[in-house]
Amino acid sequence: MTAANKSTVDSSVDVGDIELRVPAEARYLPIIRSLAATIAMREDFDLDFVADLKLAVDEACSMLAGSAWPGTELRCRFRVTDDTIGMQASALSTVDALLDTDSFGWRVLTTLADTASTRVEQVPGGYRVLIELAKRGRGGA
């Protein structure tokens, strides 16, 4: 399964991208949240934006960590544009299934982010589950 439309953060890596790879375990989520907040503050987004982005990133990564193979990594890539921070997060799974977009967690995520999508890509030996989100705000000057 793949998405028909191009995402805010695609699979190519740009020079300004920031990527973090951690074990796909809940105990590493504070590191990812901290990175998201640091990026937003460095770009001079307001505190409400920072808080919303941290929660959206946490929710996305929590869902992925819950569906990941034990012992695999959670990969998060952030991309900053003039007024938007986008994130693509992925983890390997043995199941060819999208995350539950009817869950409470997904509703929280889509409330906090301006756009959010999930997809599954087949990779050798399994599947890669991806979540992409974008949060728009007013960056500083």
Side-chain angles (χ1 to χ4, degrees):
M1 291 180 219
T2 58
N5 56 354
K6 187 170 172 120
S7 62
T8 301
V9 180
D10 62 20
S11 60
S12 65
V13 179
D14 282 347
V15 171
D17 289 356
I18 300 165
E19 186 170 292
L20 175 65
R21 297 178 187 193
V22 297
E25 299 174 23
R27 66 186 176 148
Y28 291 97
L29 296 178
I31 296 168
I32 301 168
R33 282 194 309 266
S34 178
L35 177 60
T38 300
I39 292 167
M41 288 186 294
R42 181 192 72 192
E43 296 297 325
D44 204 23
F45 285 94
D46 66 38
L47 293 177
D48 288 336
F49 180 97
V50 174
D52 287 352
L53 180 67
K54 278 176 51 176
L55 289 171
V57 165
D58 184 64
E59 198 59 52
C61 291
S62 294
M63 287 187 271
L64 287 170
S67 69
W69 283 346
T72 60
E73 69 183 13
L74 177 60
R75 188 180 297 181
C76 300
R77 183 179 304 139
F78 294 89
R79 181 171 292 166
V80 179
T81 61
D82 292 335
D83 68 343
T84 302
I85 296 179
M87 184 196 74
Q88 179 186 70
S90 65
L92 294 178
S93 176
T94 56
V95 180
D96 176 20
L98 290 174
L99 296 170
D100 183 5
T101 57
D102 291 327
S103 69
F104 177 73
W106 188 259
R107 289 183 187 173
V108 169
L109 172 61
T110 56
T111 299
L112 295 167
D114 292 300
T115 63
S117 63
T118 183
R119 69 179 190 272
V120 178
E121 297 174 348
Q122 190 165 7
V123 296
Y127 301 92
R128 180 174 303 280
V129 181
L130 295 101
I131 294 179
E132 296 177 271
L133 64 88
K135 177 80 178 151
R136 286 185 297 276
R138 296 187 327 183

